[in-house]
């Protein structure tokens, strides 16, 4: 089985721009979660989707949004980028709500 | 709110020695505690987990202990090897949601 695939792996944006990140979960996994990883902060939960519905959202501003498609693929969008949005964005898929999270390798965003 | 504290932030051990990483969680209703290993340039990977109805779990050189009364859980790695060098994250489930709270990570260095 192929693992979780995230694209793009690296990207550079400037302040004020917007960005869309994509995640393809493991085949058969219907839950997709997004986390932001920054040095010293660990992994911060952004949101979780299951069958195209957002079930939980973390404490991030409304500039951060996401969605899930009928094939379980997910995207997250960050609008009006700020320098502090520079981070590794990790997507994880899961078979069940309390099961193991399978992480992708992440999308590293740099905001200049 | 929910919080997971992880210590130490860095840990250096000689090859063959043991390593212990400790985490404390705030929500007494948390019932699932996974540990993830993140190698450079990769996403976190589950190495062991424990549920609240169990006090200890072992998998070869890795073990996790849970003290529900103290809201404390630990990762123990015995006979460390250079390939154990990585960043380790503990996490706790948030009851009633589909998200996890992660610790801030421990960078383990195994010196040959």
């Amino acid at each position: 089985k192929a693992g979780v695939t995230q694209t793009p792996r690296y990207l550079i944006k400037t302040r004020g721009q917007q960005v869309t990140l994509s995640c393809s979960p493991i085949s058969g996994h219907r839950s997709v979660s997004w986390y932001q990883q920054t040095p010293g902060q660990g992994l911060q939960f952004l949101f979780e989707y299951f069958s195209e519905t957002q079930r939980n959202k973390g404490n991030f501003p409304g500039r951060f949004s996401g969605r899930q498609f009928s094939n379980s693929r997910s995207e997250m969008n960050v609008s009006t980028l700020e320098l502090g949005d520079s981070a590794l964005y990790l997507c994880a898929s899961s078979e069940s709500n309390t099961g193991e999270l399978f992480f992708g390798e992440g999308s590293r965003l740099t905001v200049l | 709110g929910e919080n997971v504290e992880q210590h130490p932030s860095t840990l250096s051990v000689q090859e063959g020695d043991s390593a212990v990483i400790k985490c404390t969680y705030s929500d007494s209703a948390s019932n699932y505690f996974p540990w993830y290993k993140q190698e450079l340039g990769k996403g976190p990977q589950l190495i062991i987990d424990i549920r609240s109805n169990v006090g200890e779990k072992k998998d070869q050189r890795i073990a996790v202990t849970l003290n529900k009364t103290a809201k404390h859980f630990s990762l123990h790695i015995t006979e460390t090897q250079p390939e154990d060098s990585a960043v380790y994250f503990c996490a706790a489930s948030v009851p009633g949601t589909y998200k996890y709270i992660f610790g801030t990570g421990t960078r383990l260095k195994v010196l040959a």
Side-chain angles (χ1 to χ4, degrees):
Chain A
K1 254 185 189 179
V4 176
T5 304
Q6 292 188 245
T7 57
R9 288 292 313 279
Y10 304 92
L11 65 167
I12 300 173
K13 294 285 186 178
T14 56
R15 282 183 299 172
Q17 288 187 311
Q18 67 92 28
V19 66
T20 299
L21 309 177
S22 180
C23 173
S24 293
I26 291 173
S27 178
H29 287 192
R30 296 166 66 188
S31 170
V32 173
S33 301
W34 289 88
Y35 287 82
Q36 181 195 64
Q37 184 177 13
T38 55
Q41 293 294 316
L43 283 72
Q44 304 287 317
F45 174 79
L46 283 157
F47 21 66
E48 187 265 353
Y49 288 88
F50 182 86
S51 292
E52 302 179 68
T53 299
Q54 184 183 90
R55 296 195 294 189
N56 286 110
K57 190 176 191 304
N59 298 321
F60 280 82
R63 300 185 296 108
F64 292 79
S65 63
R67 59 178 176 169
Q68 186 181 34
F69 302 95
S70 58
N71 61 358
S72 294
R73 190 177 69 85
S74 178
E75 288 181 347
M76 68 162 283
N77 183 277
V78 188
S79 62
T80 319
L81 284 166
E82 301 177 359
L83 295 178
D85 296 333
S86 295
L88 180 67
Y89 290 88
L90 291 163
C91 168
S93 70
S94 173
E95 286 186 283
S96 66
N97 57 332
T98 56
E100 176 180 354
L101 293 179
F102 292 83
F103 283 92
E105 294 190 324
S107 293
R108 184 166 295 282
L109 171 65
T110 301
V111 182
L112 302 177
Chain B
E2 311 96 359
N3 186 48
V4 173
E5 293 187 1
Q6 182 172 348
H7 300 281
S9 56
T10 60
L11 178 60
S12 293
V13 299
Q14 289 294 133
E15 182 178 358
D17 286 351
S18 295
V20 180
I21 303 171
K22 300 181 179 181
C23 289
T24 303
Y25 59 98
S26 60
D27 192 334
S28 57
S30 292
N31 58 12
Y32 176 64
F33 307 92
W35 285 89
Y36 287 85
K37 174 183 181 183
Q38 186 176 28
E39 297 177 338
L40 196 62
K42 297 187 177 181
Q45 182 176 16
L46 181 75
I47 55 172
I48 196 167
D49 56 10
I50 191 168
R51 298 192 182 272
S52 58
N53 58 346
V54 176
E56 184 175 0
K57 184 176 179 180
K58 190 173 182 180
D59 183 4
Q60 299 182 354
R61 298 186 296 109
I62 296 173
V64 57
T65 59
L66 172 65
N67 182 329
K68 288 188 293 183
T69 303
K71 292 186 287 186
H72 174 268
F73 59 114
S74 300
L75 177 71
H76 304 253
I77 305 174
T78 59
E79 301 173 16
T80 53
Q81 301 168 3
E83 52 265 38
D84 294 330
S85 295
V87 179
Y88 291 82
F89 292 96
C90 63
S93 61
V94 179
T97 75
Y98 303 95
K99 69 177 185 180
Y100 299 91
I101 302 298
F102 282 79
T104 50
T106 295
R107 183 174 298 279
L108 174 64
K109 296 180 183 178
V110 179
L111 308 172

